[in-house]
Amino acid sequence: MRILIAVFGICAYAQPALERPGLGMIVDANGALRPVYGIAGSVTLGDPIAAGVLSTACSRKLCLSKTATSILWGDQETAAPPGPALFALDGNRAFVYFPQSNQLMRWHDGVLKPMDFDIGGEILSLRAAHGRVEFAVRRDGEFWIVRSDGAVLGALTGAGAPVMLLKDGALFKAGDALIVRRDDGTELSFDLTGVESLLPMGAGYVQVRAGAAAYALCVEPEREQLFVLPEPLP
Amino acid sequence: MMPRLFVALLLPLAARAQLVLVSVDGTTESPVGSTYDFASVAASDAKDVRFRARNTGSSAVTVTTLAVNGAGFTVDRPSLPFVIAPGNFLGFTVHFAVGTPASYSAALQVNTISVILLARSVLAPALTIFPACTADATTATVNFPRVPKGSMGLCNLSLQNPYSQALTVSNLVVTGDAAFQGPLGVRMPMTLQPGQAVTFTVQFAPVCGKASYSGALTINSRTYPLAGSGFDPPLPKPILKFDSAGFGSAQQRTLAISLPTAYPCPASGYVHLAFTPDTQVVTDDPAILFVATGGRTVPFSVNQGDTQVLLGSQAQAIFQTGTTSGALRFTLDAVGIGIDGAATTVLTIPRTAVSIGSAGASRRVNDLDVELIGYDNTYTAGVMSFTFFDAGGNAIGPGAIRADFTADFRAYFTRIQSGSAFVMRATFPVTGDARKVAGVEVELTNAAGVFRTQRILFQ
């Protein structure tokens, strides 16, 4: 069967939509949530859109931020257990873990519903996989990937904290390096001293804070790139 | 009768005990005994000494006598009688000036206080000050020319005996700020024969953190004030080093700065980054910035005696080149001291073909969506062609579909004024089974060339 691309339709429908590219959201050193505009290596920070943010996670579809007592989404907020949170975004839903109260909840449209889980050790990261949630945990100095029922899915050999589970692997600190390890066993290493935190920015980027500087790491396969994020103007 | 006589004898004693004579040097009072020595005074010079008759008693004292009797001495005093309230004083100045070398004395009388004043008029060598130092005709101050801090200035001087008899110089010293050192080139004591002259040098080396200096050059009994000033020399023309050559858009590069020679004092200032785009579509590119500050300026500092220029306390500063072709200008502003030479370095960001960093394609029932993320640092993009392929790798008719989105891009760039980065989403209606379309290649043309994507597979 012949495929016809409607030539006339190009003028009528292929009118391009042009937008300013964005890399997602970051939490700056002052705890303000800011959009990041531009492309890799050439970015600017937008004005703060929320203050007092402890943790955040963004994807193309959803951006959730945790303040001391609530979860921010868009221009709305949902009351939440105190302290920071770990997020696993799953489309327009999310799994949320509250380390301070050791609670796991399902978030959807501003509603939090508690979930049962049986995880030993310190939970460092979450990811959604096939509608379920998986965890990176530290047990006796070793790092594991486990399911909510406690089943071990794999080991993160050589990993150190912080750890972030990616959809197809994991990102973690290892000495003075930041390692992207894919599920197929391949690894990429970036020299970076003093990695302290990893936050998903959205659009395939992770915010890395190391000392006084913040970096953006593209974790999309074959597009991996680490660059410095500008500090906000005073 | 006896008691009254006793009272009458005591009254003058009590009045005298209230009056104390002191000499005054600046704000310091020193008690004066039965003699006061003006010391040696160069012939033809004069010397003034300030005195105070201070009333230390609890009742007023009237000064009726204040006189100096002796050759070469005169007194400058208020008119008498003069009443000094308790705790107050009467100030006066004794002036000594003679032309003939000899020893002199005089009697100073203040009411009942008597003091013998002594002075010696001595021969003094003539001092000549050579350029670039100058002499103040009024104060006899020797002025040094301004000297850069960290450097040394010299003053050449000579002593000459203008008299017909030999003259001994026993005292030739430099005092005051340690920036003044000397004299160099002479040994004390020395005898100058009639008409003989010797030259010597005084050094002046100003230090960091201080601008004005004072000292004194004493030659026998004569003292010449010394004055000098130091200034921060301009910063030697900095050497700007970039991490490598080959500048382009969407880069993060590092700048390091050093000095060709060590700078003698701590210095600080700012490195400013300015940008002039090649295009007139935008006036600036906000992504061109120093990442450490998020702006166009980064502070710099130089430690004393160092050649390393620290940028925001770091050895180097990362900056972004943005997504616009044009000229990046790095300008150093050394606050208050200036720079010896051109303070600006220009980097050129060349025009390049459109760059696409991310491309995606997806299909719907009757539509194909293509998304491209990239930049066009010439701001002339818009001409494109799309070639669709089936699963066998064959181009699907009618072949390359050409389109000109130049006006759309121009409107977008003009509207956002935020560099040339863009996300472009184009939708193509399809008649037939869209699932048979496996991939697309896009060719984007701008003023600098043509960029062709790899084949983008539909998801």
Side-chain angles (χ1 to χ4, degrees):
Chain A
M1 182 178 171
R2 183 167 177 260
I3 304 297
L4 175 64
I5 306 293
V7 178
F8 178 76
I10 288 174
C11 296
Y13 296 98
Q15 204 73 10
L18 286 163
E19 293 176 7
R20 194 178 177 190
L23 276 56
M25 299 279 183
I26 64 159
V27 180
D28 72 19
N30 300 315
L33 187 68
R34 292 174 180 268
V36 182
Y37 299 112
I39 56 175
S42 182
V43 297
T44 55
L45 300 185
D47 293 333
I49 57 175
V53 175
L54 303 176
S55 40
T56 188
C58 294
S59 67
R60 289 179 187 271
K61 293 182 177 177
L62 183 64
C63 195
L64 301 178
S65 301
K66 180 69 176 64
T67 63
T69 56
S70 61
I71 290 176
L72 308 180
W73 49 292
D75 56 357
Q76 302 181 67
E77 63 181 294
T78 303
L86 299 173
F87 298 99
L89 304 184
D90 184 17
N92 58 1
R93 300 167 182 265
F95 298 97
V96 190
Y97 174 68
F98 301 97
Q100 203 164 304
S101 55
N102 192 32
Q103 288 177 286
L104 179 67
M105 298 192 183
R106 182 84 178 172
W107 182 94
H108 183 223
D109 275 345
V111 178
L112 283 169
K113 290 184 178 175
M115 293 177 64
D116 291 331
F117 71 114
D118 181 19
I119 302 292
E122 179 188 4
I123 297 175
L124 302 172
S125 179
L126 281 69
R127 75 177 167 199
H130 313 297
R132 297 195 297 188
V133 61
E134 297 173 353
F135 304 83
V137 296
R138 174 161 51 189
R139 293 172 178 163
D140 299 325
E142 296 185 329
F143 296 78
W144 305 90
I145 301 174
V146 299
R147 286 198 315 228
S148 57
D149 60 5
V152 174
L153 300 175
L156 289 168
T157 308
V163 171
M164 175 184 286
L165 293 176
L166 307 174
K167 63 181 179 183
D168 61 346
L171 173 66
F172 53 83
K173 174 185 173 182
D176 286 339
L178 190 60
I179 306 288
V180 179
R181 181 179 292 167
R182 302 293 180 192
D183 289 341
D184 62 8
T186 59
E187 276 191 10
L188 267 179
S189 176
F190 298 88
D191 291 339
L192 192 59
T193 302
V195 173
E196 297 166 0
S197 67
L198 304 169
L199 294 173
M201 294 169 56
Y205 286 87
V206 173
Q207 180 189 359
V208 182
R209 186 155 286 282
Y215 301 80
L217 174 67
C218 179
V219 293
E220 292 289 317
E222 300 181 11
R223 289 180 50 214
E224 295 89 346
Q225 182 180 359
L226 181 71
F227 57 92
V228 188
L229 287 167
E231 290 298 316
L233 282 168
Chain B
M1 194 62 194
M2 280 299 288
R4 284 194 177 189
L5 178 59
F6 180 70
V7 171
L9 286 172
L10 284 180
L11 274 175
L13 290 172
R16 179 179 178 181
Q18 289 181 323
L19 207 56
V20 173
L21 187 63
V22 296
S23 63
V24 183
D25 182 6
T27 57
T28 304
E29 295 184 347
S30 302
V32 174
S34 58
T35 63
Y36 184 88
D37 192 351
F38 274 55
S40 296
V41 179
S44 78
D45 281 3
K47 184 172 184 178
D48 290 340
V49 175
R50 291 163 57 214
F51 293 95
R52 286 174 182 168
R54 182 171 285 284
N55 180 359
T56 59
S58 56
S59 57
V61 173
T62 301
V63 175
T64 55
T65 302
L66 202 174
V68 172
N69 293 307
F73 292 91
T74 58
V75 65
D76 181 12
R77 60 162 176 78
S79 59
L80 302 179
F82 187 96
V83 178
I84 309 173
N88 218 326
F89 64 84
L90 162 64
F92 59 97
T93 301
V94 175
H95 182 75
F96 174 74
V98 293
T100 305
S103 293
Y104 295 82
S105 65
L108 168 62
Q109 191 73 37
V110 183
N111 279 3
T112 58
I113 300 173
S114 296
V115 178
I116 301 300
L117 305 179
L118 304 173
R120 288 168 300 287
S121 177
V122 297
L123 294 176
L127 179 69
T128 302
I129 301 163
F130 296 105
C133 289
T134 59
D136 186 301
T138 305
T139 63
T141 299
V142 178
N143 292 306
F144 282 71
R146 292 176 74 234
V147 174
K149 293 173 184 173
S151 301
M152 182 179 291
L154 297 175
C155 207
N156 292 316
L157 308 105
S158 82
L159 287 177
Q160 186 188 18
N161 179 359
Y163 305 106
S164 57
Q165 56 187 292
L167 185 156
T168 298
V169 179
S170 56
N171 185 34
L172 178 57
V173 294
V174 171
T175 56
D177 276 318
F180 295 105
Q181 292 291 320
L184 306 175
V186 289
R187 283 187 173 182
M188 296 295 107
M190 67 179 175
T191 300
L192 293 176
Q193 299 303 321
Q196 183 186 358
V198 295
T199 59
F200 64 98
T201 301
V202 176
Q203 294 178 340
F204 171 54
V207 296
C208 302
K210 187 174 180 180
S212 297
Y213 299 81
S214 60
L217 172 65
T218 301
I219 305 169
N220 283 354
S221 59
R222 183 175 284 172
T223 296
Y224 300 86
L226 301 176
S229 62
F231 66 96
D232 293 307
L235 209 62
K237 184 182 175 183
I239 302 165
L240 276 67
K241 294 178 185 170
F242 299 95
D243 49 348
S244 62
F247 289 92
S249 289
Q251 294 178 343
Q252 289 193 335
R253 307 298 291 267
T254 58
L255 165 68
I257 303 179
S258 61
L259 302 176
T261 56
Y263 192 71
C265 296
S268 62
Y270 298 93
V271 181
H272 300 290
L273 175 56
F275 179 64
T276 306
D278 285 339
T279 180
Q280 293 185 341
V281 176
V282 294
T283 57
D284 202 352
D285 184 336
I288 294 172
L289 49 78
F290 289 108
V291 298
T293 60
R296 291 280 175 87
T297 298
V298 65
F300 79 78
S301 61
V302 181
N303 292 324
Q304 183 172 1
D306 206 348
T307 58
Q308 172 76 60
V309 177
L310 298 174
L311 300 169
S313 76
Q314 301 295 316
Q316 57 190 24
I318 298 173
F319 64 94
Q320 295 185 155
T321 59
T323 55
T324 308
S325 68
L328 295 177
R329 285 181 172 76
F330 296 85
T331 303
L332 268 74
D333 175 13
V335 178
I337 60 177
I339 291 176
D340 186 10
T344 297
T345 296
V346 179
L347 292 181
T348 299
I349 305 298
R351 293 156 70 91
T352 56
V354 172
S355 175
I356 299 298
S358 171
S362 57
R363 67 168 78 78
R364 290 175 284 162
V365 176
N366 292 313
D367 294 302
L368 299 172
D369 297 320
V370 177
E371 180 183 275
L372 302 174
I373 301 176
Y375 66 87
D376 163 29
N377 78 358
T378 69
Y379 292 81
T380 58
V383 174
M384 299 182 190
S385 73
F386 299 82
T387 304
F388 293 87
F389 296 87
D390 62 21
N394 305 306
I396 298 171
I401 300 171
R402 303 189 187 285
D404 187 353
F405 300 135
T406 303
D408 301 273
F409 272 87
R410 175 66 67 98
Y412 163 73
F413 291 141
T414 302
R415 174 170 53 84
I416 66 164
Q417 290 289 315
S418 187
S420 73
F422 61 84
V423 179
M424 189 196 83
R425 295 185 185 90
T427 298
F428 298 85
V430 177
T431 57
D433 187 355
R435 290 175 297 179
K436 296 292 179 66
V437 181
V440 62
E441 292 177 2
V442 186
E443 199 174 83
L444 301 95
T445 303
N446 71 0
V450 178
F451 177 88
R452 189 177 183 90
T453 67
Q454 293 184 323
R455 190 163 302 174
I456 309 164
L457 301 180
F458 282 91
Q459 303 296 314

